Amino acid sequence: MKKLVDDAWIHHEFQTVAVRSSSPEEDLGGASFAGGYETILGVRLDGLYTAILKAFLSCLDARVVMYKAANGFSTLAPSIAVVVQDQVDSDVSGVAFSVNPLTNCNAEVFVNSNFGLGETVVSGIVSPDEFVVDKKTGKILSKTVGKKELIVKLRTEGGVLECELDKAVSDRLSLDENLIAEISKQVQIIEALYQNAIDIEFGISNSRLYILQARPVTTSLPFPVQIENKKVPHIFWDVTLGVQGLTSPMSVLSTSFFSLLPHLVLEKLSHTVLDHNTPAIPVVIIPEIGRVYIDVSILESAYVKKIHEMIPLMDPIAGEILGSLDLTVEFNKSFTDWWFLLRLLEYAPYFKFARSVVDIVWDPTLSGRKLDIEIDTKMKLLKECTRKPRSSVLEWSLQLFYKFIDLLFTTFMPRMFLWRKSSGDLKKLLEKLELLSDEDGKLNFSKLERSLPGNVTVKMGLELTRIANELKKQGDFIHNLSPSELGDALSGKSKSDLSDSIKLIWKNFLEIYGHRGDTELDFATPRYREEAKTLLIQICQQISSTDESKDPILTYEKCQSDRKQAYEYFISKINAKGSHSDLKSFKNLYEIVISIGGFRETPKFFVIKIFDQIRQEMLQIGEKLTIGGRIDNPQEIFDLNIVDVDKVMLEFENNENETNVGLLREKRLRIWSRWNSYARSGKELPRIIDSTGRIYRPVPKFSNDANSLVGYPVSPGVVEGKIKMLSKPDEKPVLPGEILVARCTNPGWTPLFINSAAVILEVGGVLQHGALVAREYGIPAVAGIVGLMEDQRLKDGVRVRVDGNIGIVTIIDDGISA
């Protein structure tokens, strides 16, 4: 090697070189290893071999090994190359990004620079100059003079020298506009070459630009959304987070199926084959990142004015951000749009919708019984709908979903429309009668919709309590069983003294609710029938509880009693005013609300049944492909989109092997993995983002009291207790009387509400799952606390006061000193 190095030194006429490390694992799309491997600057020939050895040995550095372990790389197979470059004696050096690392905006180039060599910028030992450039126009959007406290220069005898920079020099910008423009241009050329966001290290010597290194940006979140009008960015709101409470990306398979639904549903309703000229649909479903976004700009500009005023009901933090943005974009309905709307008016089942509304108003109680019958009938039809061999998985899945669409438009939507309208009219009536002007009126009104009958999600929680109560009767041995042991005993996998009757109760429970689970909208998620850990943990905690006042059934019954008392309160108040017509209106509206309001969770209960059926079919396909050697395990089927599954399965059934499923899966997960890693690190995925990828982050609310956290009141009441912080529902048990703290919740978290005395959430509004269930159980809840899960003061056992009336959480003590 010495001869090769000596010959190269003479051939290239080197005087001084930079020795840089380059590993096959370094600067990949998902991990940068930045700062891990060694770079040695200002190397002369007499120190070259030592520098090469130092760079080589850096692949064994503890920092590198720890980074590999944390990011899923093997720590047992180190590999590295060492690159020797001619040393540029830079007058100015720095780094440039093809995406703004501060905002995630891919329409901007971001540049940091300092005088001298780039070590001061790369290692972060100075505050460099900062420039932001608009890619499209080349305009410099901002210039910031950094302090540039130090400078690194080459020493004549080799090596580098660190020294302070004269203040007169440090007060000047290190780059002029021409150099900034050239750096921006070169970054974009390299980005286009690699088809990936890029950051570069550069040096400038005698006004000549040198690109020293280029690597993928691994910290940005690619947002693969294309819009036709690029003059003004469109603003998107993440409903997967804000409404459904899903903090991680859904699987590629699930979102690819969902992405087909908006057009297909409209086709079915309008009897029209849609193409790219059809109306813009403001729902943007992105399989590459596993998220569902709403194009708020299209909604605001073309369909629903002041949509940003409605969003706070579900996601108040998003509502605040949207309220500060200009949501207007150019959007004109074309002839195609109007023609399509006429077709929709002609064929949509409005008559059935209207008839259902009339039936409900005429006899709300009878309407509820009819709904139960319709659902039972549809459930039986679903069980009979099986996929035939060699038939399309996509077509079969759509046929299942069409059964839900029919029920949605003719049965569910009329009830939800009338419930929402009646609930609103009820409030308007009481406001007109000035019965909500005092605290008593407001408190009683908050109880009017508590514990409504027919809520399947709440019924599931109550059934768990009944199972726990039955298990207590089985004998003292039940208290010694762990959740897994209890699960085995209930399912008959292990011998136990459990009675056949309790086993049958458990079996019936799973037949009714076993299709549900955490993040149940995702086909890739196990169902309670497959993995009941969350349920079993809560059952065990209820078995061990001796405080009967914490019994959820008693709490639910008390809420029902409170609702009836609130009803009587308003009856007496309206009677006192002597308005018989208002009294009749109040009674009619209340009857509609209590008769159908509880069914608001039923549509989701039904559609999750369909998703479970699709999941089971996908797992069977995955099993066949695994046995056939096409994938490594059945779960990998969810990494493909649904069109891929059709293609791969058809090839398999025809004994063909044209598609490399491994490479296809890697392609589908390329961007998805970035978003998933971001979420797994504990960061919140963007709830508001624009079409340039710019992320709009919320500003935390502050109180004059340093121990208070400010959010939004979503369920009334005041409770003090110890908190239990959870990132997932089966992480650990919530003991009776503890206060549940989480980023957000979805129906898979419902069992945890049984023991919770209150709920504190980072995400959510009055219509989000956590708020709805908290009100059903009559427990206080505060949502929309920015940075809740990262607050260092909060940990298990800390005592807080939750005021669901005003949206304040107050830290009382650390839970130890008490």
Side-chain angles (χ1 to χ4, degrees):
M1 186 185 80
K2 185 177 186 306
K3 184 177 188 307
L4 289 173
V5 170
D6 290 344
D7 290 345
W9 188 280
I10 295 169
H11 177 76
H12 291 287
E13 299 180 348
F14 288 143
Q15 297 298 315
T16 310
V17 296
V19 177
R20 300 179 182 271
S21 56
S22 179
S23 167
E25 298 159 334
E26 186 181 16
D27 303 332
L28 296 172
S32 69
F33 287 78
Y37 296 107
E38 287 286 347
T39 292
I40 303 97
L41 304 178
V43 179
R44 305 299 295 268
L45 181 59
D46 57 359
L48 180 58
Y49 306 105
T50 301
I52 291 173
L53 180 61
K54 185 177 181 181
F56 178 81
L57 290 175
S58 68
C59 72
L60 304 176
D61 190 279
R63 294 171 299 170
V64 173
V65 174
M66 291 173 64
Y67 187 87
K68 281 185 173 185
N71 287 274
F73 293 96
S74 171
T75 58
L76 302 177
S79 58
I80 194 170
V82 177
V83 179
V84 179
Q85 295 177 321
D86 194 7
Q87 177 71 64
V88 177
D89 189 4
S90 302
D91 304 311
V92 178
S93 301
V95 295
F97 295 77
S98 67
V99 56
N100 189 327
L102 302 180
T103 64
N104 202 65
C105 179
N106 57 46
E108 297 172 351
V109 171
F110 182 91
V111 182
N112 277 157
S113 61
N114 187 20
F115 295 105
L117 302 181
E119 182 64 19
T120 56
V121 179
V122 174
S123 61
I125 61 176
V126 301
S127 302
D129 293 337
E130 180 182 297
F131 308 91
V132 179
V133 183
D134 186 297
K135 283 183 177 179
K136 187 173 182 180
T137 64
K139 179 181 178 181
I140 300 175
L141 301 175
S142 67
K143 302 177 184 178
T144 304
V145 180
K147 291 184 179 180
K148 302 189 289 294
E149 300 89 342
L150 299 171
I151 184 174
V152 171
K153 297 181 177 180
L154 287 176
R155 298 171 58 181
T156 306
E157 65 274 21
V160 295
L161 174 68
E162 184 181 293
C163 56
E164 292 186 4
L165 192 61
D166 184 82
K167 191 175 186 306
V169 178
S170 67
D171 285 345
R172 300 195 331 251
L173 287 171
S174 51
L175 293 172
D176 61 33
E177 292 192 358
N178 291 333
L179 287 170
I180 295 169
E182 181 61 23
I183 292 167
S184 176
K185 176 184 174 182
Q186 294 301 323
V187 167
Q188 292 178 70
I189 290 172
I190 297 170
E191 179 184 45
L193 177 66
Y194 284 98
Q195 293 292 294
N196 198 91
I198 289 292
D199 84 73
I200 66 165
E201 294 180 25
F202 66 85
I204 297 169
S205 180
N206 297 320
S207 298
R208 183 177 179 182
L209 174 65
Y210 294 88
I211 307 299
L212 306 177
Q213 181 170 305
R215 58 183 169 228
V217 174
T218 61
T219 55
S220 66
L221 288 177
F223 189 59
V225 170
Q226 299 294 324
I227 58 170
E228 292 183 9
N229 177 17
K230 296 186 179 180
K231 293 181 181 178
V232 179
H234 286 216
I235 307 295
F236 298 89
W237 169 50
D238 184 359
V239 294
T240 4
L241 178 68
V243 177
Q244 298 300 329
L246 305 184
T247 56
S248 296
M250 289 192 293
S251 66
V252 174
L253 181 62
S254 300
T255 38
S256 68
F257 177 71
F258 298 154
S259 69
L260 301 174
L261 293 181
H263 272 86
L264 293 171
V265 170
L266 291 178
E267 283 184 352
K268 183 172 178 63
L269 289 177
S270 63
H271 291 215
T272 306
V273 177
L274 304 184
D275 57 25
H276 65 280
N277 293 318
T278 53
I281 297 175
V283 181
V284 182
I285 304 169
I286 316 168
E288 293 92 335
I289 61 175
R291 308 303 282 173
V292 179
Y293 280 89
I294 295 289
D295 189 330
V296 184
S297 297
I298 288 182
L299 275 179
E300 181 87 10
S301 303
Y303 296 113
V304 184
K305 301 299 181 183
K306 297 186 178 180
I307 183 66
H308 66 278
E309 295 179 5
M310 303 177 190
I311 289 174
L313 293 173
M314 294 164 281
D315 188 348
I317 295 177
E320 281 196 2
I321 297 172
L322 293 171
S324 66
L325 302 177
D326 181 6
L327 302 175
T328 309
V329 294
E330 292 181 12
F331 187 85
N332 298 313
K333 289 189 176 73
S334 65
F335 170 77
T336 305
D337 298 325
W338 292 114
W339 173 81
F340 166 76
L341 290 173
L342 289 173
R343 297 278 297 182
L344 196 59
L345 286 171
E346 180 181 357
Y347 287 104
Y350 295 106
F351 175 75
K352 290 182 179 179
F353 184 98
R355 182 175 177 178
S356 292
V357 171
V358 172
D359 286 344
I360 298 165
V361 174
W362 184 260
D363 190 340
T365 305
L366 178 62
S367 170
R369 291 199 296 270
K370 283 184 176 179
L371 179 60
D372 287 335
I373 294 171
E374 286 186 69
I375 292 173
D376 287 342
T377 303
K378 290 288 185 180
M379 288 291 191
K380 291 175 183 176
L381 290 174
L382 280 179
K383 289 182 180 179
E384 297 169 2
C385 188
T386 56
R387 189 180 73 90
K388 297 178 181 178
R390 299 182 182 274
S391 64
S392 166
V393 178
L394 173 58
E395 290 300 322
W396 171 78
S397 302
L398 290 174
Q399 289 305 314
L400 286 178
F401 196 78
Y402 284 153
K403 295 182 186 299
F404 169 71
I405 295 299
D406 289 335
L407 199 62
L408 176 67
F409 280 93
T410 60
T411 303
F412 292 140
M413 282 185 64
R415 285 165 174 78
M416 294 304 99
F417 163 77
L418 198 57
W419 163 62
R420 185 67 68 193
K421 185 179 186 306
S422 299
S423 181
D425 289 346
L426 191 65
K427 184 178 182 181
K428 289 177 184 177
L429 174 62
L430 296 176
E431 286 174 339
K432 184 192 79 171
L433 297 172
E434 298 182 344
L435 297 179
L436 302 182
S437 56
D438 58 19
E439 291 303 315
D440 280 348
K442 291 176 182 176
L443 179 61
N444 278 285
F445 180 74
S446 72
K447 297 176 180 179
L448 273 183
E449 293 193 43
R450 282 188 179 179
S451 299
L452 297 179
N455 188 316
V456 290
T457 303
V458 173
K459 283 169 68 176
M460 180 179 74
L462 297 177
E463 285 301 316
L464 276 181
T465 299
R466 292 189 180 96
I467 291 172
N469 291 339
E470 286 296 320
L471 284 166
K472 287 181 181 179
K473 301 174 185 177
Q474 297 291 306
D476 292 338
F477 76 93
I478 202 72
H479 294 276
N480 300 321
L481 296 181
S482 68
S484 61
E485 289 170 339
L486 177 61
D488 289 343
L490 285 169
S491 62
K493 292 180 181 178
S494 64
K495 291 183 178 180
S496 71
D497 293 330
L498 291 183
S499 66
D500 291 339
S501 62
I502 190 63
K503 293 178 183 178
L504 181 61
I505 291 172
W506 177 249
K507 180 181 177 183
N508 291 338
F509 175 88
L510 290 181
E511 283 183 1
I512 298 172
Y513 302 106
H515 65 286
R516 308 210 71 169
D518 183 31
T519 62
E520 59 193 5
L521 284 177
D522 192 349
F523 302 162
T525 302
R527 311 289 137 163
Y528 290 143
R529 190 194 315 105
E530 306 164 47
E531 176 52 73
K533 182 180 176 181
T534 302
L535 306 181
L536 294 166
I537 287 174
Q538 292 309 308
I539 290 174
C540 285
Q541 289 306 315
Q542 289 187 60
I543 290 172
S544 63
S545 174
T546 57
D547 188 349
E548 292 186 2
S549 66
K550 303 294 185 183
D551 189 306
I553 295 176
L554 296 178
T555 302
Y556 181 78
E557 290 172 349
K558 183 181 183 303
C559 288
Q560 285 187 317
S561 176
D562 290 345
R563 170 166 54 80
K564 292 172 183 175
Q565 290 176 16
Y567 172 74
E568 294 299 332
Y569 168 88
F570 286 115
I571 289 290
S572 64
K573 291 289 184 180
I574 298 172
N575 264 327
K577 290 182 177 288
S579 175
H580 296 295
S581 61
D582 287 334
L583 181 62
K584 183 178 180 181
S585 295
F586 176 79
K587 288 181 176 179
N588 289 340
L589 290 170
Y590 177 76
E591 185 178 7
I592 292 172
V593 168
I594 65 167
S595 297
I596 63 176
F599 289 102
R600 61 175 174 258
E601 290 284 312
T602 305
K604 188 173 183 180
F605 182 86
F606 187 86
V607 79
I608 295 302
K609 193 79 173 178
I610 294 172
F611 292 172
D612 175 51
Q613 198 163 342
I614 295 173
R615 169 178 167 78
Q616 301 311 318
E617 181 67 26
M618 293 301 173
L619 286 174
Q620 288 182 31
I621 292 172
E623 188 69 38
K624 291 177 182 178
L625 294 177
T626 302
I627 294 171
R630 305 294 176 89
I631 56 179
D632 292 334
N633 65 75
Q635 194 68 18
E636 289 185 0
I637 196 71
F638 299 107
D639 298 334
L640 306 176
N641 69 41
I642 196 160
V643 176
D644 296 335
V645 173
D646 256 350
K647 184 175 186 294
V648 171
M649 194 58 192
L650 182 62
E651 289 179 5
F652 178 77
E653 290 174 339
N654 291 330
N655 293 318
E656 299 172 354
N657 195 11
E658 182 179 331
T659 302
N660 186 321
V661 182
L663 290 179
L664 182 60
R665 181 171 167 267
E666 283 183 21
K667 179 181 178 181
R668 299 292 180 239
L669 293 178
R670 188 176 66 85
I671 298 177
W672 186 94
S673 296
R674 291 269 288 275
W675 281 66
N676 191 50
S677 296
Y678 190 89
R680 285 170 63 99
S681 70
K683 299 174 185 174
E684 180 181 284
L685 294 175
R687 70 175 78 203
I688 301 292
I689 192 170
D690 70 22
S691 49
T692 70
R694 183 186 298 274
I695 298 171
Y696 297 86
R697 294 182 173 87
V699 178
K701 288 184 172 185
F702 294 101
S703 167
N704 292 330
D705 183 354
N707 289 321
S708 292
L709 307 175
V710 183
Y712 298 86
V714 295
S715 184
V718 180
V719 161
E720 290 186 11
K722 294 183 178 182
I723 65 172
K724 181 66 70 70
M725 301 186 69
L726 276 75
S727 58
K728 54 184 181 178
D730 62 355
E731 181 180 354
K732 50 194 168 186
V734 175
L735 305 180
E738 288 186 324
I739 294 170
L740 171 62
V741 180
R743 190 177 298 280
C744 55
T745 65
N746 56 65
W749 291 68
T750 302
L752 278 69
F753 284 68
I754 296 171
N755 286 344
S756 301
V759 178
I760 308 171
L761 302 172
E762 186 165 331
V763 177
V766 295
L767 295 183
Q768 208 261 350
H769 167 268
L772 292 171
V773 178
R775 291 198 295 273
E776 291 286 355
Y777 282 122
I779 59 178
V782 175
I785 300 177
V786 178
L788 174 69
M789 299 301 286
E790 284 74 43
D791 194 317
Q792 296 299 312
R793 296 171 297 174
L794 299 179
K795 59 183 181 296
D796 288 356
V798 169
R799 289 186 61 82
V800 302
R801 180 185 301 108
V802 180
D803 191 332
N805 300 319
I806 59 175
I808 298 288
V809 176
T810 304
I811 300 172
I812 299 173
D813 59 53
D814 59 12
I816 300 174
S817 55

